[in-house]
Amino acid sequence: MEEPVRHILILGGTTEARQLAAALAEQPSVRVTSSLAGRVAEPRLPAGQVRVGGFGGPAGLAAWLREQQVHTLIDATHPFAQVISRNAAEAAAAVHVPLLTLRRPSWVPVEGDRWHQVDSLAAAAAVLPSLGTRALLTTGRLGLAEFAGVTGVHLVARSVDQPDPPLPPRLTVLLARGPFTPAGERAVFAEHRIDVLVTKDSGGAATAPKLAVARELGLPVVVVRRPAPPAHGVVVADVAQVLGELGLH
């Protein structure tokens, strides 16, 4: 007797989401669909079926889960995608679909780091002028408006796509997509005379080299703490743990 095919929906866009989609696409007992928010102009498409765009809030997502007979919902979005994660938790609970939240581990400071941890982008913007005059900002284009009122600091903002206004008065935009290398980050810090780094606690290896370079140079780093994941569902740290929860290898 053949094993029934399970439909798994991945809310993704992250490196881990693509890795997970690739692993699940190889499973004959799984049909995988990845949902991308559509905020990046040319996203890297994962294996399996792909849909782009929102669902219309938790009610819309719940309806989609029901109509598409989704067996398991996996939230593999960015650790700071709070709205999507909250919608996923509400929708999964409403239709009684198991929810797995895939969150890469947080970065942890080591000897030599000069971290200033804050709870929001607004708090990062407030503390920034006291730490340097040329800042590498790697918090994403959607949060750049929080720094629009910063004066006395030249901001070098790195983003996949061009940011929309409002923008800081002294701004250089670097269009780039990770993963990044230590050598590449050293070149960016040197070319733009960076003396302070601002980042979210995204975790993972793809964008971690900037932290190592800041440590080498003895520079301060403003780190925005990540929000806690929703209480509903099971939180896992990597693709292997997801496959284990699903009974797959």
Side-chain angles (χ1 to χ4, degrees):
M1 184 175 178
E2 289 188 6
E3 185 178 356
V5 174
R6 290 182 285 176
H7 187 193
I8 296 177
L9 174 63
I10 302 173
L11 304 179
T14 59
T15 300
E16 291 80 9
R18 290 191 297 274
Q19 293 172 344
L20 178 58
L24 292 177
E26 296 178 352
Q27 299 283 340
S29 63
V30 170
R31 170 189 162 208
V32 59
T33 301
S34 294
S35 177
L36 307 180
R39 291 176 177 168
V40 176
E42 297 181 5
R44 293 171 176 166
L45 297 180
Q49 296 176 315
V50 179
R51 69 175 302 280
V52 178
F55 291 92
L61 176 54
W64 199 93
L65 295 174
R66 189 184 300 110
E67 292 164 3
Q68 297 296 320
Q69 299 180 327
V70 172
H71 178 277
T72 303
L73 174 60
I74 301 175
D75 174 11
T77 58
H78 193 277
F80 285 82
Q82 291 176 272
V83 174
I84 300 174
S85 293
R86 185 168 57 247
N87 290 352
E90 291 182 19
V95 295
H96 307 291
V97 168
L99 171 66
L100 297 177
T101 299
L102 173 56
R103 287 288 180 272
R104 65 186 77 144
S106 289
W107 288 319
V108 177
V110 299
E111 184 177 354
D113 281 329
R114 295 176 56 198
W115 283 17
H116 300 260
Q117 294 180 296
V118 296
D119 290 324
S120 67
L121 289 175
V127 74
L128 183 55
S130 67
L131 297 175
T133 60
R134 296 187 64 85
L136 177 60
L137 194 62
T138 62
T139 54
R141 67 183 179 90
L142 297 179
L144 199 51
E146 294 285 357
F147 295 84
V150 172
T151 58
V153 181
H154 186 98
L155 299 176
V156 180
R158 186 159 62 195
S159 173
V160 175
D161 294 317
Q162 189 69 32
D164 298 318
L167 299 174
R170 301 172 62 190
L171 175 68
T172 299
V173 176
L174 297 181
L175 296 181
R177 188 199 303 259
F180 299 102
T181 65
E185 297 294 55
R186 290 188 191 100
V188 168
F189 276 67
E191 178 182 352
H192 296 279
R193 307 189 309 279
I194 299 301
D195 60 9
V196 58
L197 170 66
V198 183
T199 185
K200 292 177 178 177
D201 175 20
S202 300
T207 59
K210 62 191 173 189
L211 298 174
V213 172
R215 186 184 313 122
E216 290 174 6
L217 298 174
L219 301 182
V221 182
V222 181
V223 181
V224 181
R225 297 184 183 94
R226 63 172 61 177
H232 182 73
V234 176
V235 179
V236 292
D238 55 35
V239 171
Q241 288 187 19
V242 173
L243 297 179
E245 289 288 336
L246 295 172
L248 302 170
H249 302 286

